[in-house]
Amino acid sequence: MSEPGASALPPGRPSRHGSVHQENLSLDSSSFSSPPVNFLQELPSYRSVARRRTTIPARDKQSGALLKPTDSYSSHVEGGIAENLSSQSLRKYALNISEKRRLRDIQETQMKYLSEWDQWKRYSSKSWKRFLEKAREMTTHLELWRDDIRSIEGKFGTGIQSYFSFLRFLVLLNMVIFLIIFTLVLLPILLTKYKITNSTFVLIPFKDTDIQCTLYPISSSGLIYFYSYIIDLLSGTGFLEETSLFYGHYTIDGVKFQNFTYDLPLAYLLSTIAYLALSLLWIVKRSVEGFKINLIRSEEHFQSYCNKIFAGWDFCITNRSTADLKHSSLRYELRADLEEERIRQKIAGRTSEETIRIYSLRLFLNCIVLAVLAACFYAIYIATIFSQEHMKKEIDKMVFGENLLILYLPSIVITLANFITPMIFARIIHYEDYSPGFEIRLTILRCVFMRMATICVLVFTLGSKITSCDNGPCELCGYNQKLYPCWETQVGQEMYKLMIFDFIIILAVTLFVDFPRKLLVTYCSSWKLIQCWGQQEFAIPDNVLGIVYGQTICWIGAFFSPLLPAIATLKFIIIFYVKELSLLYTCRPSPRQFRASNSNFFFLLVLLIGLCLAIIPLTISMTRIPSSKACGPFTNYNTTWAVIPTTVSTFPSSLQSLVHGVTSEAFAVPFFIIICLVMFYFIALAGAHKRVVDQLREQLSLESRDKRYLIQKLTEAQQDLRPS
């Protein structure tokens, strides 16, 4: 206590009351030994601990030791640093230069008394850490679109920058997915096809399969009509159907090299499992980082107000208009917080009649939302059925527009549903009497469910058509071979059409809506209609939902169209530049901005929902629907998943017993119990950490009160010592 007090005095000024200070110190030290006149008992922190000990004496022994005012923070820091000098770098500690130099001298002194082996380990550890830091600095210069994203961050803040960073993450993710599929599936085929290696294809022997199930007619009339090439390019039919873009091209059993035979069906299935697992782990890893930041930011409302007022400014902003926008954004956040506080008080003051009325209204409005969703799903179902029944007509019997409309009818209906339902949800949410923050989150979740569920409805509708024949269940082949001779390829064509149509809509809206709207707002601003219309806002949630929708299509379609991740990578690269130009020249940022940490966590949460919804139809198609007998690597298997038991049956008996034991209920039940116990342990550990964080926050608050109290006492003592 005496050292900080002495260091607080100016270094060059003599102490006028040195004897007085010594006398006060002696009095203080004597008062420490006499509890009735203890000066520290008057501190607010000590009184708070005393009150807590009288109310909850048993629980607060540990907290009393934690909040003891006589503890010196600097001594704890020095003790921790002294213990970790050998393993931690001094850069990680918030100390001044003199303290760091003193600690570095201590390190060098300790090194002299170590053995040569310990000294070598210490130096090698430092060199390795220095090398990792340099390598990390070098990799930052190799980041994709590093300068563009920094420029966007400087002009528009971290909220919009987080959208473009998220788009870059999807580009990298799809690139890695394509590399996995290319390495496991495409590369062995290309090496054999172009005679790069001494290998041959192993053709699939048809075993006990009806000849009718193996027929796969591919019709192409591109030599007669030129526009059929355009239709094939947009729909994946014709000449594209025979390429490596779709599932039906990989109708081989394996590749035979000199020393082994490469099992292509097993590799095809493992590539799907690998990219789904990689996507899950990568998203969860990034989500946990954002969740940590959100958990730290989850403070009290008063602290939230203080953070917005004193620490809410984004110092990356350099543009004047963007700075004005940030001012309005902070004002909006404060108004939203005050509105939420008002609604909380309103909810607390509601009578029982008002509560019943508002919940009845919400129930009625949610029924309307469900009715809208059901209508959209039914429209998608009808459009898919109509498109599948009429798409088998000959091209020469239909005109160009009619053929293209029938091919793209499900995609058009899905796009219209995704465009109309958010406007309906935005209207409905205003009557439900929620807080502004909850209104945004609920509307976004409804839109997320709408976009993801439309894809699932399309896939399940196709599945119902595939597994049903005219006279009931399909007994001959297990699926509707007449309408879908290679149903995996046709599902891949639907995913391909969704991907292409979504890309066309994004480009068309940017080129034919946003740019003309910008010109009208700029040069015809005197018109009242144009003033009401205004400039297009760059709404971050809507743009994120669009690219998550495209990524979900890619996850589902990559099994049926192995080159779809490469198309998605190219699509997202073009979208990045289109959205950047749109942001810079045609759009204005939305006044409702997101913090970068909240945005990243929200984006990844929506992406995780899309991944979970994509896994469901993929799992059903691989385990429940019989595989095509006319195309693909799984023609000799009842289902796609059947390749796993067949492969396990070729293992040695001991390894088979191990695999069967791991996959049995006798192993699954104890494993589930252990996982639950581990989960409960971490939940309890998180609760303990949260209590410690609350105690530390309270300690910080009490220390500030102690400082104010001590300054007040010091001021009173100085006034008493002044000569009258």
Side-chain angles (χ1 to χ4, degrees):
M1 294 282 296
S2 60
E3 289 181 5
S7 61
L9 293 173
R13 183 177 298 176
S15 176
R16 291 176 50 191
H17 307 286
S19 60
V20 175
H21 283 300
Q22 295 293 332
E23 185 178 356
N24 289 338
L25 289 174
S26 63
L27 287 174
D28 290 343
S29 61
S30 63
S31 63
F32 290 159
S33 60
S34 55
V37 290
N38 193 348
F39 175 73
L40 294 178
Q41 291 181 357
E42 299 180 9
L43 292 175
S45 59
Y46 188 88
R47 293 178 180 179
S48 176
V49 174
R51 278 197 306 272
R52 184 178 303 170
R53 285 176 175 175
T54 55
T55 55
I56 315 175
R59 191 189 68 182
D60 283 334
K61 292 180 179 180
Q62 183 178 359
S63 63
L66 176 64
L67 300 174
K68 191 183 296 182
T70 57
D71 290 343
S72 175
Y73 174 74
S74 60
S75 63
H76 283 296
V77 172
E78 288 189 14
I81 296 174
E83 293 177 359
N84 299 325
L85 279 176
S86 59
S87 59
Q88 300 290 335
S89 175
L90 292 177
R91 295 180 181 178
K92 298 182 179 180
Y93 297 99
L95 301 174
N96 53 31
I97 298 298
S98 60
E99 290 293 329
K100 289 184 178 180
R101 287 175 179 172
R102 185 174 64 84
L103 291 173
R104 189 172 289 109
D105 293 337
I106 294 175
Q107 279 184 332
E108 294 178 355
T109 305
Q110 290 178 350
M111 287 285 290
K112 297 178 180 178
Y113 299 99
L114 296 176
S115 62
E116 294 183 358
W117 172 250
D118 293 334
Q119 291 181 8
W120 180 83
K121 287 195 300 182
R122 187 78 61 86
Y123 282 123
S124 60
S125 176
K126 286 184 177 180
S127 301
W128 177 248
K129 290 179 180 178
R130 198 174 294 115
F131 170 76
L132 292 179
E133 291 177 359
K134 294 294 183 181
R136 199 174 293 113
E137 291 178 1
M138 290 296 295
T139 53
T140 56
H141 296 283
L142 300 176
E143 288 182 353
L144 185 64
W145 299 317
R146 176 173 174 266
D147 295 334
D148 295 308
I149 292 178
R150 284 193 174 185
S151 176
I152 292 171
E153 182 181 7
K155 293 179 180 178
F156 301 101
T158 56
I160 295 179
Q161 173 264 340
S162 61
Y163 162 76
F164 287 93
S165 298
F166 179 68
L167 190 56
R168 177 178 61 187
F169 165 69
L170 291 184
V171 170
L172 297 176
L173 177 62
N174 285 293
M175 196 178 298
V176 174
I177 290 175
F178 170 71
L179 290 177
I180 291 174
I181 297 176
F182 178 81
T183 305
L184 295 179
V185 178
L186 278 170
L187 186 59
I189 296 177
L190 294 177
L191 293 176
T192 306
K193 182 178 181 180
Y194 294 102
K195 306 298 182 181
I196 299 176
T197 59
N198 188 14
S199 57
T200 57
F201 291 121
V202 179
L203 300 180
I204 298 176
F206 294 102
K207 301 177 182 178
D208 300 331
T209 303
D210 193 280
I211 190 64
Q212 188 178 353
C213 298
T214 61
L215 299 178
Y216 182 27
I218 299 178
S219 61
S220 178
S221 56
L223 296 176
I224 302 174
Y225 297 100
F226 172 73
Y227 65 79
S228 63
Y229 284 108
I230 301 177
I231 294 177
D232 293 342
L233 189 63
L234 294 177
S235 61
T237 57
F239 72 95
L240 278 181
E241 190 172 351
E242 302 175 0
T243 63
S244 58
L245 177 62
F246 293 109
Y247 170 92
H249 177 75
Y250 305 92
T251 312
I252 57 175
D253 194 42
V255 178
K256 187 175 183 180
F257 293 93
Q258 291 182 352
N259 299 324
F260 67 98
T261 300
Y262 189 78
D263 192 349
L264 186 66
L266 181 62
Y268 199 100
L269 180 60
L270 291 180
S271 66
T272 304
I273 298 174
Y275 80 73
L276 290 175
L278 173 70
S279 302
L280 179 63
L281 294 176
W282 203 346
I283 294 171
V284 168
K285 179 180 179 298
R286 292 175 66 97
S287 300
V288 167
E289 295 173 358
F291 180 73
K292 289 179 182 178
I293 299 175
N294 285 342
L295 192 62
I296 294 173
R297 291 183 182 274
S298 61
E299 61 271 314
E300 300 177 357
H301 299 293
F302 178 74
Q303 293 176 350
S304 176
Y305 295 141
C306 293
N307 287 339
K308 286 183 176 66
I309 294 173
F310 297 108
W313 185 253
D314 190 352
F315 288 95
C316 296
I317 297 175
T318 58
N319 195 348
R320 176 68 181 177
S321 60
T322 310
D324 296 336
L325 179 67
K326 185 64 178 179
H327 280 292
S328 63
S329 175
L330 289 174
R331 285 195 300 269
Y332 166 76
E333 288 182 3
L334 290 173
R335 285 198 302 267
D337 290 341
L338 294 174
E339 180 67 16
E340 290 181 359
E341 184 65 28
R342 184 190 67 80
I343 290 178
R344 277 192 291 267
Q345 295 177 359
K346 180 181 176 181
I347 292 173
R350 279 177 184 166
T351 61
S352 57
E353 292 82 2
E354 292 176 346
T355 304
I356 294 174
R357 183 186 62 82
I358 190 64
Y359 278 103
S360 301
L361 179 61
R362 290 175 181 175
L363 179 62
F364 174 72
L365 293 176
N366 279 284
C367 291
I368 294 177
V369 170
L370 293 177
V372 171
L373 292 174
C376 293
F377 297 158
Y378 182 72
I380 295 170
Y381 173 78
I382 295 298
T384 306
I385 296 295
F386 181 82
S387 175
Q388 295 298 313
E389 290 178 351
H390 290 78
M391 69 184 298
K392 293 298 180 181
K393 292 183 179 180
E394 295 294 333
I395 293 179
D396 55 357
K397 295 182 181 180
M398 293 185 292
V399 297
F400 173 72
E402 181 185 359
N403 189 20
L404 201 60
L405 180 63
I406 289 177
L407 288 173
Y408 272 90
L409 188 59
S411 302
I412 294 172
V413 174
I414 289 174
T415 303
L416 289 175
N418 293 336
F419 178 74
I420 295 173
T421 51
M423 295 188 291
I424 299 175
F425 294 157
R427 287 290 182 183
I428 290 176
I429 198 69
H430 290 306
Y431 301 99
E432 296 186 82
D433 197 15
Y434 290 118
S435 63
F438 189 76
E439 282 185 4
I440 296 174
R441 290 191 292 269
L442 183 59
T443 304
I444 291 174
L445 288 177
R446 285 173 176 172
C447 295
V448 168
F449 178 76
M450 176 63 199
R451 284 180 176 266
M452 302 300 114
T454 52
I455 306 175
C456 293
V457 170
L458 174 64
V459 174
F460 284 119
T461 304
L462 290 174
S464 65
K465 291 290 293 180
I466 291 168
T467 55
S468 62
C469 297
D470 297 332
N471 300 325
C474 305
E475 298 179 356
L476 182 62
C477 305
Y479 60 94
N480 193 342
Q481 195 275 338
K482 182 179 179 181
L483 192 60
Y484 302 97
C486 184
W487 65 265
E488 292 92 346
T489 294
Q490 287 164 300
V491 173
Q493 289 171 350
E494 292 296 328
M495 297 297 106
Y496 174 81
K497 286 187 286 187
L498 284 176
M499 179 77 70
I500 297 299
F501 191 73
D502 180 60
F503 179 62
I504 293 173
I505 290 298
I506 292 174
L507 291 182
V509 169
T510 304
L511 295 176
F512 302 113
V513 177
D514 293 345
F515 277 103
R517 183 173 178 177
K518 171 66 175 178
L519 294 176
L520 290 175
V521 171
T522 304
Y523 298 104
C524 303
S525 58
S526 58
W527 298 0
K528 291 185 178 180
L529 181 61
I530 300 300
Q531 291 177 359
C532 296
W533 195 18
Q535 190 176 352
Q536 176 68 30
E537 290 183 358
F538 191 87
I540 299 177
D542 295 339
N543 286 282
V544 169
L545 292 180
I547 60 176
V548 170
Y549 168 76
Q551 183 60 41
T552 307
I553 294 172
C554 177
W555 277 323
I556 297 176
F559 175 77
F560 308 103
S561 177
L563 295 184
L564 201 62
I567 299 174
T569 303
L570 183 61
K571 170 190 169 183
F572 286 142
I573 290 174
I574 298 175
I575 287 177
F576 181 91
Y577 290 108
V578 169
K579 291 297 181 181
E580 184 182 12
L581 293 175
S582 176
L583 174 65
L584 294 175
Y585 298 107
T586 65
C587 295
R588 61 182 177 89
S590 174
R592 293 188 174 187
Q593 291 188 348
F594 287 75
R595 284 187 178 271
S597 57
N598 296 339
S599 301
N600 292 327
F601 179 68
F602 167 73
F603 299 164
L604 294 168
L605 179 62
V606 173
L607 191 63
L608 188 61
I609 294 173
L611 177 61
C612 295
L613 291 178
I615 291 175
I616 295 174
L618 278 177
T619 305
I620 293 175
S621 64
M622 289 189 296
T623 57
R624 305 289 296 177
I625 302 178
S627 56
S628 297
K629 302 300 184 291
C631 68
F634 302 100
T635 55
N636 277 339
Y637 300 96
N638 292 328
T639 59
T640 302
W641 186 256
V643 68
I644 299 295
T646 304
T647 304
V648 171
S649 64
T650 61
F651 292 168
S653 57
S654 58
L655 188 57
Q656 288 186 36
S657 302
L658 178 62
V659 173
H660 290 310
V662 170
T663 56
S664 64
E665 294 84 356
F667 178 82
V669 173
F671 180 76
F672 178 74
I673 295 174
I674 293 173
I675 290 296
C676 291
L677 292 176
V678 172
M679 183 180 65
F680 291 146
Y681 166 75
F682 280 108
I683 290 174
L685 189 64
H689 288 166
K690 185 178 181 181
R691 287 192 295 270
V692 172
V693 168
D694 293 337
Q695 291 177 357
L696 292 174
R697 283 179 177 172
E698 184 180 358
Q699 184 175 358
L700 288 174
S701 176
L702 292 174
E703 284 184 357
S704 63
R705 292 168 59 187
D706 289 346
K707 289 178 182 178
R708 290 197 299 269
Y709 177 79
L710 292 174
I711 290 173
Q712 180 183 357
K713 289 296 183 181
L714 182 61
T715 304
E716 292 176 358
Q718 288 178 350
Q719 290 176 355
D720 294 338
L721 292 174
R722 288 177 182 174
S724 57

